[in-house]
Amino acid sequence: MPQSFITNDEFLSNRCIWVNGPVIVGAGPSGLAVAAGLKNQGVPFIILERANCIASLWQNRTYDRLKLHLPKQFCQLPNFPFPEDFPRVPHQFDINPRFNETVQSAKYDETFGFWRIKTISSSDSSFCEVEYICRWLVVATGENAEKIEPEFEGLQHFEGNVMHAGDYKSGASYRGKRVLVVGCGNSGMEVSLDLCNHNAKPSMVVRSSVHVLPREVLGKSTFQLAVLMMKYFPLWLVDKILLILARLILGNVEKYGLKRPPTGPIELKNNEGKTPVLDIGALQKIRSGDIKVVPGIKKFSPGKVELVNGQVLEIDSVVLATGYRSNVPSWLKENEFFSENGIPKNPFPNGWKGKTGLYAVGFTKRGLSGASLDAMSVALDIAKSWKEETKQKKKSIASRQRRCISHF
């Protein structure tokens, strides 16, 4: 909550806390993975989380039917594998984050050589400003911290319901409604499918090209198959094989308005972070016409939307499946390690470590598997530095004690 909305009576006294270890910002999978690694190394730490729970993106911003699209071995955290009895594709350490604590700013103090992290901590109706001082800072807020809500001409005059996919839960309340779903990624496809299954009438806006792949090939995960092929074949060949398999299994999707990008799906994911859509049934609804594919939006008007091709649709609601972005530039006062869009400047696998004790986890554009690799590197690197500094402190204390004893 911004400070301008808080009365003086609601503020508790300010506090300053020294942390004998790193401060981790974000209690999602990335932050928890780093914390687990640090705990195994015996390194103390503090996790700050603005929400009231861990993995808030998964718990608070997902629709009811959401399931992981990838096999569980590609989605587990370091030192915390899924149990054997979990299904192959699951639904959703003694680590205690500090919840409801929003970071306002983080800045490196060059004079003293420490990070200063200022937060606002909320509890019931009271608020407290807290400053943490630490040697190491781990940014684990991820690529999806804030909703992207594009501005469209006339949207403020549209009289129907407008929400982001992060607030969408189920199509049950849309029964019989004409719904415009803006976006054709995995969220857009799955929201459209869910609306169909609840007898709504979705139209899905496809503004750019998209790769649609089958979720499985002969009973095997497409992603797992791609990972296996990458061990033996060059990337371009793996992409070509995936596209051939997609054509054989799904047919020609371009005739339904789903144009494929010129770059292969794996190369596109690695270079631009654009994830291919894994079809879980939406394509069948597109073929049948239950999900209508429409081009980009020109403008909105009361109860209507005009498309770039001149077509006008009468609609009741809009769901913005337009994705998320990093929020790092809004609070981290640093411009060498992170770019203006809140992503480390150095690409994977070299984007996890900056200068002056600054680290990043969860920005690899490779999902949980990439975050896990970076988390292990960060935990080991911090543990090494922490143990060396702790050893030097103990030597210094012992030396002072010996001098005092000899003096007496």
Side-chain angles (χ1 to χ4, degrees):
M1 180 179 292
Q3 184 171 335
S4 56
F5 291 103
I6 303 171
T7 65
N8 291 334
D9 293 337
E10 292 174 314
F11 264 108
L12 300 175
S13 59
N14 294 353
R15 292 186 295 159
C16 185
I17 299 174
W18 163 254
V19 182
N20 183 29
V23 168
I24 303 169
V25 182
S30 298
L32 295 175
V34 175
L38 291 169
K39 187 155 191 175
N40 283 346
Q41 295 289 328
V43 180
F45 57 86
I46 283 180
I47 305 184
L48 304 177
E49 170 55 50
R50 64 180 177 177
N52 61 355
C53 61
I54 63 170
S56 61
L57 180 64
W58 288 88
Q59 296 200 58
N60 298 338
R61 299 191 206 168
T62 55
Y63 32 91
D64 294 343
R65 62 163 286 129
L66 180 69
K67 296 182 180 67
L68 292 175
H69 287 186
L70 306 179
K72 61 185 180 183
Q73 64 266 34
F74 296 104
C75 302
Q76 60 197 20
L77 299 177
N79 305 308
F80 194 57
F82 283 107
E84 289 296 327
D85 58 350
F86 263 46
R88 188 165 65 91
V89 181
H91 297 271
Q92 293 190 203
F93 293 88
D94 184 19
I95 297 170
N96 300 298
R98 300 193 175 197
F99 296 118
N100 301 308
E101 193 148 355
T102 303
V103 174
Q104 301 295 300
S105 67
K107 186 176 182 179
Y108 186 71
D109 189 326
E110 295 185 2
T111 302
F112 296 100
F114 296 115
W115 284 94
R116 294 181 177 271
I117 301 104
K118 294 183 179 180
T119 73
I120 290 183
S121 174
S122 60
S123 176
D124 297 325
S125 60
S126 62
F127 298 84
C128 177
E129 290 182 326
V130 183
E131 182 176 35
Y132 295 90
I133 300 176
C134 62
R135 173 71 179 79
W136 302 276
L137 173 63
V138 181
V139 179
T141 48
E143 304 156 338
N144 303 312
E146 301 290 344
K147 303 170 190 172
I148 297 175
E149 297 180 298
E151 294 183 1
F152 294 102
E153 181 183 349
L155 185 59
Q156 69 274 22
H157 303 302
F158 177 69
E159 296 170 348
N161 180 51
V162 180
M163 72 165 57
H164 192 274
D167 300 312
Y168 176 92
K169 293 299 179 185
S170 167
S173 60
Y174 293 90
R175 192 176 304 275
K177 302 289 186 181
R178 299 161 297 184
V179 185
L180 186 72
V181 179
V182 184
C184 60
N186 280 294
S187 292
M189 288 279 192
E190 194 155 356
V191 167
S192 297
L193 177 60
D194 187 57
L195 288 165
C196 256
N197 292 340
H198 285 92
N199 297 317
K201 301 171 184 176
S203 295
M204 184 174 65
V205 175
V206 179
R207 296 172 292 175
S208 57
S209 55
V210 58
H211 278 299
V212 182
L213 303 177
R215 182 176 174 179
E216 294 184 343
V217 177
L218 299 175
K220 298 291 184 182
S221 159
T222 302
F223 182 81
Q224 189 173 5
L225 178 63
V227 171
L228 178 64
M229 289 193 294
M230 290 281 286
K231 295 179 179 179
Y232 304 101
F233 305 123
L235 186 147
W236 68 267
L237 182 56
V238 174
D239 270 342
K240 190 165 186 177
I241 294 171
L242 289 176
L243 292 176
I244 291 172
L245 290 172
R247 181 64 180 253
L248 291 173
I249 296 171
L250 302 178
N252 180 13
V253 299
E254 294 201 8
K255 66 181 181 181
Y256 302 109
L258 302 173
K259 185 179 179 181
R260 290 196 181 277
T263 307
I266 304 299
E267 183 180 355
L268 192 64
K269 171 65 175 172
N270 289 347
N271 293 345
E272 300 181 29
K274 294 183 178 180
T275 305
V277 172
L278 296 179
D279 179 54
I280 58 171
L283 195 55
Q284 182 181 346
K285 297 292 186 181
I286 292 172
R287 288 196 192 98
S288 67
D290 293 322
I291 297 176
K292 292 181 170 56
V293 174
V294 299
I297 296 166
K298 183 177 181 182
K299 64 180 179 179
F300 285 91
S301 57
K304 297 178 182 179
V305 62
E306 182 180 346
L307 306 174
V308 292
N309 63 356
Q311 183 183 4
V312 176
L313 301 178
E314 293 186 353
I315 54 174
D316 302 301
S317 300
V318 177
V319 178
L320 300 172
T322 45
Y324 299 86
R325 65 163 69 92
S326 166
N327 71 350
V328 173
S330 68
W331 57 269
L332 182 64
K333 310 307 177 185
E334 185 275 348
N335 56 15
E336 290 187 17
F337 185 42
F338 279 88
S339 60
E340 292 181 356
N341 64 356
I343 304 296
K345 293 179 180 179
N346 292 328
F348 180 84
N350 301 312
W352 58 271
K353 184 177 181 179
K355 298 177 181 178
T356 63
L358 179 62
Y359 297 87
V361 181
F363 300 90
T364 64
K365 300 181 181 179
R366 284 166 171 76
L368 289 175
S369 59
S372 294
L373 292 173
D374 277 359
M376 289 187 284
S377 297
V378 169
L380 290 173
D381 197 67
I382 292 177
K384 180 181 177 182
S385 297
W386 181 84
K387 289 175 181 177
E388 288 176 354
E389 291 193 8
T390 302
K391 187 177 180 181
Q392 289 300 321
K393 287 177 184 177
K394 289 180 178 178
K395 284 183 178 180
S396 179
I397 292 172
S399 177
R400 287 199 298 268
Q401 288 175 339
R402 284 195 298 270
R403 286 199 299 268
C404 288
I405 292 171
S406 63
H407 178 74
F408 285 104

